Amino acid sequence: MGNLRKWKKDLREAVDYPWDSSIDSDHPDCPHCGCTMDFYGHDETGDFVYGEGYWECNGCGFRITEDDL
């Protein structure tokens, strides 16, 4: 649990301060399996409301929203 909490904190900081982070906030490593995650923050009609964007792992399917951070 502690590792997930740290991962969330690190990702939140990468989103807020991308110039100070070594994490790619659009494609972070999954905290469960280590595969690359993709960020989905908009669809064909435009941007999602802030907080509804989400990251999803290409390997294990783990998913987390902006609001979860």
Side-chain angles (χ1 to χ4, degrees), residues 38-60:
D38 291 321
F39 179 70
Y40 299 94
H42 63 317
D43 59 16
E44 61 279 347
T45 61
D47 288 337
F48 294 165
V49 175
Y50 180 78
E52 292 181 5
Y54 63 94
W55 292 265
E56 187 168 28
C57 178
N58 294 318
C60 69

Side-chain angles (χ1 to χ4, degrees), residues 7 11 24-31 33-42 48 52-66:
W7 180 86
L11 182 56
D24 178 355
S25 61
D26 286 338
H27 305 286
D29 292 339
C30 177
C33 72
C35 289
T36 300
M37 298 179 78
D38 291 321
F39 179 70
Y40 299 94
H42 63 317
F48 294 165
E52 292 181 5
Y54 63 94
W55 292 265
E56 187 168 28
C57 178
N58 294 318
C60 69
F62 173 72
R63 184 174 166 161
I64 190 166
T65 67
E66 292 171 306

Side-chain angles (χ1 to χ4, degrees), residues 5-22:
R5 184 173 293 135
K6 181 180 178 345
W7 180 86
K8 286 179 179 181
K9 180 182 178 288
D10 291 346
L11 182 56
R12 176 81 261 159
E13 289 177 3
V15 169
D16 291 342
Y17 309 105
W19 54 88
D20 284 337
S21 178
S22 61

